[in-house]
């Protein structure tokens, strides 16, 4: 699903988003979607690569497009 979201954003907005902004639960958690803790995560309370604010609406719109929210 992440590849579909990245491709959708790239085609619609002509920019690239990092998988970690979606997959490492930053945007998923912000949108209330279920997340899992990665096995190699050092600290479960700190995000090393949070999603920049300029990409949040693009990712939310992609979540809506794919009926995730």
């Amino acid at each position: 699903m992440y590849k579909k979201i990245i491709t959708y954003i790239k085609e619609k907005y002509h920019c690239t988003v990092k998988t970690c902004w979606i997959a490492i639960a930053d945007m998923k958690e912000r949108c209330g979607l279920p997340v899992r803790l990665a096995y190699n995560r050092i600290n479960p309370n700190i995000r090393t690569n949070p999603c920049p604010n300029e990409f949040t609406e693009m990712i939310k719109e992609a979540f809506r497009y794919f009926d995730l929210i």
Side-chain angles (χ1 to χ4, degrees):
M1 179 56 72
Y2 298 127
K3 289 196 186 262
K4 288 182 181 180
I5 292 170
I6 291 169
T7 302
Y8 175 81
I9 292 171
K10 190 174 206 173
E11 290 175 359
K12 184 168 183 173
Y13 297 104
H14 307 289
C15 65
T16 304
V17 296
K18 290 184 179 183
T19 306
C20 61
W21 296 341
I22 305 165
I24 303 203
D26 187 34
M27 284 305 297
K28 287 177 73 176
E29 187 174 66
R30 289 187 201 184
C31 293
L33 296 171
V35 295
R36 65 174 183 83
L37 188 61
Y39 72 92
N40 60 347
R41 189 154 179 191
I42 296 169
N43 185 336
N45 299 318
I46 297 174
R47 302 230 182 272
T48 56
N49 293 307
C51 181
N53 290 332
E54 65 260 20
F55 293 102
T56 57
E57 286 305 315
M58 291 179 211
I59 295 172
K60 283 182 182 179
E61 196 278 324
F63 285 170
R64 284 187 214 98
Y65 179 81
F66 290 105
D67 292 323
L68 297 173
I69 58 172

